[in-house]
Amino acid sequence: MRALAPLVLRSPVLLAALLLGCATEPAQPQARWSEPVRWDALSTTALGITGNIALSDEALTFANGAQLKLQLVQYDAANEVSLYKVLNQTSPKLLNDNLFCGEQPVDYMTAATSEAPGGQSDLQITAYYYPESLRLSDLPLKDKDDLTRSMCAIYTYVSASG
């Protein structure tokens, strides 16, 4: 029986296929918001904690200037929902000395949009404590008693006027 290495070296097509397979990285998710989009706070929690926001695939900026750095993990175009990993894991202090997500740092957040009556878009941001790798298929979280992997906040916004 021949060793694999000599066989690969004698077959340029097989060698190229192996090299291409090793060199490829996982596909990056489709960009959703390459530039920041402004959203006006709608829910009581958004009005009292975050204020109006600007969201892009790279950052969530709050009314007081605090910012979460984001990395787009997944985008489900059919359901209009994006999953982001929070890179600067923190729970920033926002309006009225409120924290974005309690005392623990935020690991992930989702941003889901829907069309409201009259053509105005709604945005719902949900923040999560989840130290492991999270995917949209893991949501909603099943174990409501697991405090290390849980949802910690929901905020609702409408597309900014003007």
Side-chain angles (χ1 to χ4, degrees):
M1 185 180 230
R2 292 184 188 187
L4 180 59
L7 178 64
V8 170
L9 293 176
R10 287 188 214 145
S11 173
V13 173
L14 184 55
L15 177 61
L18 284 172
L19 289 174
L20 284 174
C22 293
T24 59
E25 295 179 13
Q28 292 296 317
Q30 172 187 349
R32 187 169 187 192
W33 293 303
S34 56
E35 296 295 322
V37 176
R38 290 184 26 239
W39 296 89
D40 291 337
L42 178 65
S43 64
T44 303
T45 52
L47 287 165
I49 296 175
T50 68
N52 299 340
I53 61 167
L55 176 64
S56 74
D57 286 338
E58 296 179 354
L60 171 60
T61 305
F62 301 99
N64 71 348
Q67 192 173 69
L68 292 177
K69 298 291 184 186
L70 306 174
Q71 177 184 19
L72 181 62
V73 174
Q74 242 181 320
Y75 173 53
D76 177 352
N79 294 304
E80 292 293 318
V81 62
S82 299
L83 174 65
Y84 297 96
K85 180 163 182 54
V86 178
L87 299 177
N88 56 333
Q89 294 178 321
T90 183
S91 184
K93 190 177 281 191
L94 302 173
L95 302 178
N96 307 309
D97 287 330
N98 287 304
L99 297 172
F100 179 63
C101 204
E103 296 294 328
Q104 293 183 5
V106 179
D107 297 301
Y108 289 90
M109 64 170 248
T110 59
T113 55
S114 62
E115 197 70 25
Q120 193 170 29
S121 294
D122 288 344
L123 170 70
Q124 186 173 66
I125 290 180
T126 307
Y128 297 91
Y129 305 133
Y130 203 92
E132 294 93 31
S133 181
L134 184 65
R135 303 294 291 175
L136 287 171
S137 60
D138 297 324
L139 301 173
L141 298 176
K142 311 293 186 275
D143 185 355
K144 63 179 183 335
D145 298 322
D146 184 352
L147 299 179
T148 62
R149 291 185 291 277
S150 63
M151 179 189 67
C152 57
I154 299 175
Y155 302 98
T156 305
Y157 307 87
V158 293
S159 53
S161 53

